[in-house]
Amino acid sequence: MNHATSRMLTRVKAVYLYIREKGTVTTKEIADEFGTTDRTVQRDLNILTHNGLVKSPVRGKWKITAKPVNIS
């Protein structure tokens, strides 16, 4: 796995853990927390959504789903 992919996966995992810790958060809050752009956060959230780990019940607000996750 190349360095960029590894860095992205680490960030996606951190975003998931941040949402899990905070409850419901906005895209802007995530971007501010991780020092990235809204677009980068949206790409990360797309990965998490595709895998059924987060959902957006209200536009721009995110929370985790009930899908079990084994974090290593």
Side-chain angles (χ1 to χ4, degrees):
M1 182 178 336
N2 69 36
H3 180 67
T5 302
S6 176
R7 189 175 61 222
M8 184 223 24
L9 291 175
T10 300
R11 188 182 62 243
V12 169
K13 179 179 175 182
V15 167
Y16 175 80
L17 293 173
Y18 178 75
I19 296 169
R20 188 171 80 171
E21 177 185 320
K22 298 293 182 179
T24 302
V25 296
T26 65
T27 304
K28 175 91 171 95
E29 288 172 323
I30 298 168
D32 290 346
E33 175 69 20
F34 292 94
T36 61
T37 65
D38 289 352
R39 182 64 194 122
T40 298
V41 170
Q42 191 60 55
R43 281 193 298 268
D44 295 345
L45 291 167
N46 286 342
I47 293 166
L48 292 168
T49 300
H50 179 76
N51 287 287
L53 299 174
V54 299
K55 62 183 177 179
S56 179
V58 178
R59 183 174 165 98
K61 295 193 177 198
W62 299 89
K63 65 182 192 174
I64 64 168
T65 64
K67 183 174 184 178
V69 176
N70 182 12
I71 298 175
S72 56

